[in-house]
Short mmCIF file of all heavy atoms in Angstrom, two decimals:
data_model
loop_
_atom_site.label_atom_id
_atom_site.label_comp_id
_atom_site.label_asym_id
_atom_site.label_seq_id
_atom_site.Cartn_x
_atom_site.Cartn_y
_atom_site.Cartn_z
N PHE A 1 1.27 -19.20 13.63
CA PHE A 1 0.56 -18.44 12.61
C PHE A 1 0.35 -16.99 13.03
O PHE A 1 0.33 -16.09 12.19
CB PHE A 1 -0.79 -19.09 12.31
CG PHE A 1 -1.59 -18.36 11.26
CD1 PHE A 1 -1.23 -18.44 9.93
CD2 PHE A 1 -2.68 -17.58 11.62
CE1 PHE A 1 -1.95 -17.75 8.96
CE2 PHE A 1 -3.40 -16.89 10.66
CZ PHE A 1 -3.04 -16.98 9.32
N GLU A 2 0.18 -16.76 14.34
CA GLU A 2 -0.02 -15.40 14.84
C GLU A 2 1.08 -14.47 14.34
O GLU A 2 0.82 -13.32 14.02
CB GLU A 2 -0.03 -15.41 16.38
CG GLU A 2 -1.17 -16.19 17.00
CD GLU A 2 -2.37 -15.33 17.34
OE1 GLU A 2 -2.22 -14.10 17.33
OE2 GLU A 2 -3.44 -15.89 17.61
N SER A 3 2.32 -14.98 14.28
CA SER A 3 3.45 -14.13 13.91
C SER A 3 3.59 -13.93 12.41
O SER A 3 4.29 -13.02 11.96
CB SER A 3 4.75 -14.70 14.48
OG SER A 3 5.05 -15.96 13.90
N ILE A 4 2.93 -14.79 11.61
CA ILE A 4 3.05 -14.67 10.15
C ILE A 4 1.67 -14.56 9.49
O ILE A 4 1.50 -14.95 8.35
CB ILE A 4 3.82 -15.86 9.55
CG1 ILE A 4 3.14 -17.20 9.89
CG2 ILE A 4 5.27 -15.85 10.01
CD1 ILE A 4 3.72 -18.38 9.13
N ALA A 5 0.70 -14.02 10.24
CA ALA A 5 -0.67 -13.93 9.72
C ALA A 5 -0.77 -13.00 8.52
O ALA A 5 -1.62 -13.20 7.64
CB ALA A 5 -1.62 -13.47 10.82
N ASP A 6 0.07 -11.97 8.46
CA ASP A 6 0.03 -11.07 7.31
C ASP A 6 0.32 -11.88 6.04
O ASP A 6 1.33 -12.59 5.96
CB ASP A 6 1.08 -9.96 7.47
CG ASP A 6 0.93 -8.87 6.42
OD1 ASP A 6 0.81 -9.19 5.23
OD2 ASP A 6 0.92 -7.68 6.81
N PRO A 7 -0.55 -11.79 5.03
CA PRO A 7 -0.39 -12.60 3.80
C PRO A 7 0.94 -12.40 3.08
O PRO A 7 1.31 -13.22 2.25
CB PRO A 7 -1.56 -12.15 2.93
CG PRO A 7 -2.57 -11.64 3.90
CD PRO A 7 -1.79 -11.00 5.01
N VAL A 8 1.67 -11.33 3.39
CA VAL A 8 2.95 -11.09 2.72
C VAL A 8 3.91 -12.26 2.98
O VAL A 8 4.73 -12.60 2.11
CB VAL A 8 3.59 -9.76 3.18
CG1 VAL A 8 4.06 -9.83 4.63
CG2 VAL A 8 4.75 -9.37 2.27
N HIS A 9 3.80 -12.91 4.14
CA HIS A 9 4.69 -14.03 4.44
C HIS A 9 4.45 -15.20 3.48
O HIS A 9 5.40 -15.83 3.00
CB HIS A 9 4.47 -14.49 5.89
CG HIS A 9 4.81 -13.45 6.91
ND1 HIS A 9 3.87 -12.54 7.38
CD2 HIS A 9 5.96 -13.15 7.54
CE1 HIS A 9 4.44 -11.75 8.25
NE2 HIS A 9 5.71 -12.09 8.38
N PHE A 10 3.18 -15.47 3.18
CA PHE A 10 2.86 -16.57 2.28
C PHE A 10 3.17 -16.19 0.83
O PHE A 10 3.48 -17.06 0.01
CB PHE A 10 1.40 -16.97 2.45
CG PHE A 10 1.11 -17.49 3.84
CD1 PHE A 10 0.67 -16.63 4.83
CD2 PHE A 10 1.33 -18.82 4.15
CE1 PHE A 10 0.45 -17.10 6.13
CE2 PHE A 10 1.10 -19.30 5.43
CZ PHE A 10 0.66 -18.43 6.42
N SER A 11 3.10 -14.89 0.53
CA SER A 11 3.51 -14.43 -0.80
C SER A 11 5.01 -14.66 -1.01
O SER A 11 5.44 -15.05 -2.10
CB SER A 11 3.18 -12.94 -0.96
OG SER A 11 1.78 -12.72 -0.88
N ILE A 12 5.78 -14.43 0.05
CA ILE A 12 7.23 -14.66 -0.04
C ILE A 12 7.52 -16.14 -0.27
O ILE A 12 8.34 -16.50 -1.12
CB ILE A 12 7.93 -14.16 1.24
CG1 ILE A 12 7.87 -12.62 1.32
CG2 ILE A 12 9.39 -14.63 1.29
CD1 ILE A 12 8.36 -12.05 2.63
N LEU A 13 6.83 -17.00 0.48
CA LEU A 13 7.05 -18.43 0.33
C LEU A 13 6.71 -18.89 -1.09
O LEU A 13 7.44 -19.71 -1.68
CB LEU A 13 6.21 -19.20 1.34
CG LEU A 13 6.59 -19.02 2.82
CD1 LEU A 13 5.59 -19.75 3.71
CD2 LEU A 13 8.00 -19.53 3.08
N SER A 14 5.62 -18.37 -1.66
CA SER A 14 5.24 -18.74 -3.02
C SER A 14 6.24 -18.18 -4.03
O SER A 14 6.57 -18.84 -5.03
CB SER A 14 3.83 -18.24 -3.33
OG SER A 14 2.87 -18.95 -2.60
N LEU A 15 6.73 -16.96 -3.79
CA LEU A 15 7.71 -16.36 -4.69
C LEU A 15 8.97 -17.21 -4.77
O LEU A 15 9.58 -17.34 -5.83
CB LEU A 15 8.06 -14.95 -4.22
CG LEU A 15 9.05 -14.17 -5.09
CD1 LEU A 15 8.47 -13.91 -6.47
CD2 LEU A 15 9.44 -12.85 -4.41
N LEU A 16 9.34 -17.82 -3.64
CA LEU A 16 10.55 -18.64 -3.61
C LEU A 16 10.38 -19.95 -4.37
O LEU A 16 11.34 -20.69 -4.56
CB LEU A 16 10.96 -18.92 -2.16
CG LEU A 16 11.40 -17.70 -1.36
CD1 LEU A 16 11.73 -18.09 0.08
CD2 LEU A 16 12.59 -17.00 -2.01
N GLU A 17 9.15 -20.26 -4.80
CA GLU A 17 8.90 -21.44 -5.62
C GLU A 17 9.06 -21.14 -7.11
O GLU A 17 9.11 -22.05 -7.93
CB GLU A 17 7.49 -21.97 -5.39
CG GLU A 17 7.24 -22.59 -4.04
CD GLU A 17 5.86 -23.20 -3.98
OE1 GLU A 17 5.59 -24.14 -4.76
OE2 GLU A 17 5.03 -22.73 -3.18
N THR A 18 9.09 -19.85 -7.46
CA THR A 18 9.13 -19.48 -8.87
C THR A 18 10.55 -19.60 -9.43
O THR A 18 11.50 -19.90 -8.71
CB THR A 18 8.63 -18.04 -9.07
OG1 THR A 18 9.47 -17.13 -8.34
CG2 THR A 18 7.21 -17.89 -8.58
N LYS A 19 10.67 -19.35 -10.74
CA LYS A 19 11.96 -19.41 -11.42
C LYS A 19 12.96 -18.49 -10.72
O LYS A 19 12.60 -17.41 -10.24
CB LYS A 19 11.77 -18.99 -12.88
CG LYS A 19 13.00 -19.21 -13.75
CD LYS A 19 12.69 -18.81 -15.19
CE LYS A 19 13.93 -19.00 -16.06
NZ LYS A 19 13.68 -18.60 -17.46
N SER A 20 14.22 -18.89 -10.67
CA SER A 20 15.25 -18.17 -9.93
C SER A 20 14.85 -18.06 -8.46
O SER A 20 14.75 -16.97 -7.90
CB SER A 20 15.48 -16.76 -10.53
OG SER A 20 15.85 -16.85 -11.87
N ALA A 21 14.59 -19.22 -7.85
CA ALA A 21 14.01 -19.26 -6.52
C ALA A 21 14.88 -18.61 -5.45
O ALA A 21 14.36 -18.00 -4.52
CB ALA A 21 13.72 -20.71 -6.12
N ASN A 22 16.21 -18.75 -5.53
CA ASN A 22 17.08 -18.13 -4.53
C ASN A 22 17.12 -16.63 -4.77
O ASN A 22 17.67 -16.15 -5.76
CB ASN A 22 18.49 -18.72 -4.60
CG ASN A 22 18.51 -20.17 -4.18
OD1 ASN A 22 17.50 -20.71 -3.73
ND2 ASN A 22 19.66 -20.81 -4.32
N ARG A 23 16.56 -15.86 -3.85
CA ARG A 23 16.42 -14.43 -4.07
C ARG A 23 16.98 -13.63 -2.90
O ARG A 23 16.96 -14.08 -1.76
CB ARG A 23 14.94 -14.06 -4.27
CG ARG A 23 14.33 -14.70 -5.52
CD ARG A 23 12.88 -14.29 -5.69
NE ARG A 23 12.27 -14.92 -6.86
CZ ARG A 23 12.35 -14.42 -8.09
NH1 ARG A 23 13.00 -13.30 -8.30
NH2 ARG A 23 11.78 -15.03 -9.11
N THR A 24 17.41 -12.41 -3.19
CA THR A 24 17.86 -11.50 -2.14
C THR A 24 16.66 -10.77 -1.57
O THR A 24 15.56 -10.79 -2.14
CB THR A 24 18.84 -10.46 -2.71
OG1 THR A 24 18.14 -9.63 -3.67
CG2 THR A 24 20.02 -11.13 -3.41
N VAL A 25 16.86 -10.11 -0.43
CA VAL A 25 15.79 -9.34 0.18
C VAL A 25 15.31 -8.26 -0.78
O VAL A 25 14.11 -8.02 -0.91
CB VAL A 25 16.29 -8.69 1.50
CG1 VAL A 25 15.25 -7.72 2.05
CG2 VAL A 25 16.61 -9.76 2.53
N GLY A 26 16.24 -7.61 -1.49
CA GLY A 26 15.87 -6.57 -2.44
C GLY A 26 15.01 -7.10 -3.56
O GLY A 26 14.04 -6.45 -3.97
N GLU A 27 15.33 -8.29 -4.07
CA GLU A 27 14.53 -8.89 -5.14
C GLU A 27 13.13 -9.23 -4.65
O GLU A 27 12.14 -9.03 -5.37
CB GLU A 27 15.23 -10.14 -5.67
CG GLU A 27 16.49 -9.86 -6.47
CD GLU A 27 17.24 -11.13 -6.82
OE1 GLU A 27 17.15 -12.12 -6.07
OE2 GLU A 27 17.91 -11.13 -7.86
N VAL A 28 13.03 -9.74 -3.43
CA VAL A 28 11.72 -10.07 -2.86
C VAL A 28 10.88 -8.80 -2.73
O VAL A 28 9.70 -8.78 -3.12
CB VAL A 28 11.89 -10.74 -1.47
CG1 VAL A 28 10.54 -10.83 -0.75
CG2 VAL A 28 12.49 -12.13 -1.63
N ALA A 29 11.48 -7.73 -2.21
CA ALA A 29 10.76 -6.48 -2.04
C ALA A 29 10.27 -5.92 -3.38
O ALA A 29 9.12 -5.48 -3.51
CB ALA A 29 11.65 -5.45 -1.33
N LYS A 30 11.13 -5.98 -4.39
CA LYS A 30 10.77 -5.44 -5.71
C LYS A 30 9.65 -6.24 -6.35
O LYS A 30 8.70 -5.66 -6.89
CB LYS A 30 12.01 -5.44 -6.61
CG LYS A 30 11.76 -4.85 -7.99
CD LYS A 30 13.04 -4.82 -8.81
CE LYS A 30 12.78 -4.23 -10.19
NZ LYS A 30 14.05 -4.20 -11.01
N ARG A 31 9.75 -7.58 -6.32
CA ARG A 31 8.75 -8.41 -6.97
C ARG A 31 7.39 -8.32 -6.30
O ARG A 31 6.35 -8.44 -6.96
CB ARG A 31 9.22 -9.87 -7.00
CG ARG A 31 10.38 -10.13 -7.92
CD ARG A 31 9.98 -10.01 -9.39
NE ARG A 31 9.39 -11.25 -9.87
CZ ARG A 31 8.21 -11.34 -10.46
NH1 ARG A 31 7.46 -10.28 -10.64
NH2 ARG A 31 7.75 -12.50 -10.88
N LEU A 32 7.35 -8.12 -4.99
CA LEU A 32 6.08 -8.04 -4.27
C LEU A 32 5.60 -6.61 -4.07
O LEU A 32 4.52 -6.38 -3.53
CB LEU A 32 6.20 -8.74 -2.91
CG LEU A 32 6.50 -10.25 -2.96
CD1 LEU A 32 6.56 -10.81 -1.54
CD2 LEU A 32 5.47 -11.00 -3.78
N GLY A 33 6.41 -5.65 -4.49
CA GLY A 33 6.00 -4.25 -4.37
C GLY A 33 5.90 -3.77 -2.94
O GLY A 33 4.99 -3.01 -2.59
N ILE A 34 6.83 -4.23 -2.09
CA ILE A 34 6.82 -3.82 -0.68
C ILE A 34 8.15 -3.17 -0.34
O ILE A 34 9.13 -3.27 -1.07
CB ILE A 34 6.56 -5.01 0.25
CG1 ILE A 34 7.65 -6.08 0.09
CG2 ILE A 34 5.18 -5.61 -0.01
CD1 ILE A 34 7.51 -7.27 1.04
N ASP A 35 8.20 -2.50 0.81
CA ASP A 35 9.41 -1.86 1.29
C ASP A 35 10.43 -2.92 1.69
O ASP A 35 10.07 -3.99 2.20
CB ASP A 35 9.06 -0.98 2.49
CG ASP A 35 10.26 -0.19 2.99
OD1 ASP A 35 10.50 0.91 2.49
OD2 ASP A 35 10.95 -0.71 3.89
N SER A 36 11.71 -2.64 1.47
CA SER A 36 12.76 -3.61 1.80
C SER A 36 12.82 -3.89 3.30
O SER A 36 13.18 -5.01 3.71
CB SER A 36 14.11 -3.12 1.29
OG SER A 36 14.46 -1.87 1.90
N VAL A 37 12.48 -2.90 4.11
CA VAL A 37 12.46 -3.11 5.57
C VAL A 37 11.37 -4.13 5.93
O VAL A 37 11.58 -5.02 6.75
CB VAL A 37 12.23 -1.78 6.31
CG1 VAL A 37 12.08 -2.02 7.81
CG2 VAL A 37 13.37 -0.81 6.04
N GLU A 38 10.20 -3.98 5.30
CA GLU A 38 9.09 -4.92 5.54
C GLU A 38 9.48 -6.31 5.07
O GLU A 38 9.20 -7.32 5.74
CB GLU A 38 7.83 -4.45 4.83
CG GLU A 38 6.63 -5.37 5.02
CD GLU A 38 5.41 -4.93 4.23
OE1 GLU A 38 5.49 -3.89 3.52
OE2 GLU A 38 4.38 -5.63 4.30
N ALA A 39 10.13 -6.38 3.91
CA ALA A 39 10.54 -7.67 3.37
C ALA A 39 11.54 -8.36 4.29
O ALA A 39 11.43 -9.56 4.57
CB ALA A 39 11.14 -7.49 1.98
N ARG A 40 12.51 -7.60 4.78
CA ARG A 40 13.54 -8.17 5.65
C ARG A 40 12.93 -8.69 6.96
O ARG A 40 13.27 -9.77 7.44
CB ARG A 40 14.62 -7.13 5.96
CG ARG A 40 15.83 -7.69 6.70
CD ARG A 40 16.88 -6.61 6.91
NE ARG A 40 17.33 -6.05 5.65
CZ ARG A 40 18.25 -6.60 4.87
NH1 ARG A 40 18.82 -7.75 5.23
NH2 ARG A 40 18.63 -6.02 3.76
N ALA A 41 11.99 -7.91 7.53
CA ALA A 41 11.36 -8.32 8.79
C ALA A 41 10.53 -9.58 8.59
O ALA A 41 10.54 -10.49 9.42
CB ALA A 41 10.48 -7.18 9.32
N ALA A 42 9.78 -9.66 7.47
CA ALA A 42 8.96 -10.84 7.19
C ALA A 42 9.83 -12.07 6.98
O ALA A 42 9.52 -13.16 7.47
CB ALA A 42 8.08 -10.59 5.97
N ILE A 43 10.93 -11.90 6.25
CA ILE A 43 11.84 -13.03 5.99
C ILE A 43 12.45 -13.52 7.29
O ILE A 43 12.61 -14.73 7.50
CB ILE A 43 12.92 -12.61 4.99
CG1 ILE A 43 12.31 -12.44 3.59
CG2 ILE A 43 14.06 -13.62 4.95
CD1 ILE A 43 13.24 -11.81 2.57
N GLU A 44 12.77 -12.61 8.19
CA GLU A 44 13.35 -13.01 9.47
C GLU A 44 12.35 -13.82 10.30
O GLU A 44 12.72 -14.80 10.95
CB GLU A 44 13.80 -11.77 10.25
CG GLU A 44 14.46 -12.08 11.59
CD GLU A 44 15.64 -13.02 11.46
OE1 GLU A 44 16.38 -12.94 10.45
OE2 GLU A 44 15.83 -13.86 12.38
N ARG A 45 11.08 -13.44 10.26
CA ARG A 45 10.06 -14.22 10.98
C ARG A 45 9.95 -15.63 10.39
O ARG A 45 9.86 -16.61 11.11
CB ARG A 45 8.70 -13.52 10.90
CG ARG A 45 8.65 -12.18 11.61
CD ARG A 45 7.22 -11.63 11.64
NE ARG A 45 7.23 -10.20 11.89
CZ ARG A 45 7.11 -9.26 10.97
NH1 ARG A 45 6.93 -9.62 9.69
NH2 ARG A 45 7.15 -7.98 11.27
N LEU A 46 9.96 -15.70 9.07
CA LEU A 46 9.90 -17.01 8.41
C LEU A 46 11.13 -17.84 8.71
O LEU A 46 11.05 -19.06 8.88
CB LEU A 46 9.76 -16.81 6.89
CG LEU A 46 8.44 -16.20 6.40
CD1 LEU A 46 8.55 -15.81 4.93
CD2 LEU A 46 7.28 -17.17 6.61
N ARG A 47 12.29 -17.19 8.82
CA ARG A 47 13.53 -17.90 9.13
C ARG A 47 13.48 -18.49 10.54
O ARG A 47 13.91 -19.62 10.77
CB ARG A 47 14.73 -16.96 8.99
CG ARG A 47 16.07 -17.67 9.20
CD ARG A 47 17.25 -16.72 9.12
NE ARG A 47 17.49 -16.30 7.76
CZ ARG A 47 17.34 -15.05 7.32
NH1 ARG A 47 16.90 -14.11 8.14
NH2 ARG A 47 17.59 -14.73 6.07
N ARG A 48 12.92 -17.73 11.49
CA ARG A 48 12.83 -18.22 12.87
C ARG A 48 11.95 -19.46 12.98
O ARG A 48 12.15 -20.30 13.86
CB ARG A 48 12.30 -17.12 13.79
CG ARG A 48 13.29 -16.00 14.08
CD ARG A 48 12.89 -15.23 15.32
NE ARG A 48 11.61 -14.57 15.16
CZ ARG A 48 11.45 -13.32 14.72
NH1 ARG A 48 12.51 -12.59 14.37
NH2 ARG A 48 10.25 -12.78 14.62
#
């Protein structure tokens, strides 16, 4: 949890439950209103 404590990680997980669940990094960044670099880094932590 220490590595994914920022709530953006859980927002990404919930976003992947919504319609059109398979999403690109760009789509995740746009829907959550965050930078694509931040989105990519968060997704990589979740992937690990």
Side-chain angles (χ1 to χ4, degrees):
F1 180 75
E2 296 266 346
S3 64
I4 58 170
D6 190 311
V8 69
H9 297 90
F10 297 92
S11 297
I12 291 172
L13 293 175
S14 291
L15 181 64
L16 295 178
E17 291 186 63
T18 60
K19 189 178 179 180
S20 301
N22 293 355
R23 296 181 181 274
T24 65
V25 172
E27 289 173 331
V28 169
K30 182 178 180 180
R31 291 290 277 126
L32 297 181
I34 61 177
D35 184 88
S36 60
V37 175
E38 180 184 0
R40 188 178 301 278
I43 289 170
E44 182 55 35
R45 295 187 199 99
L46 293 169
R47 184 183 288 113
R48 287 199 297 268

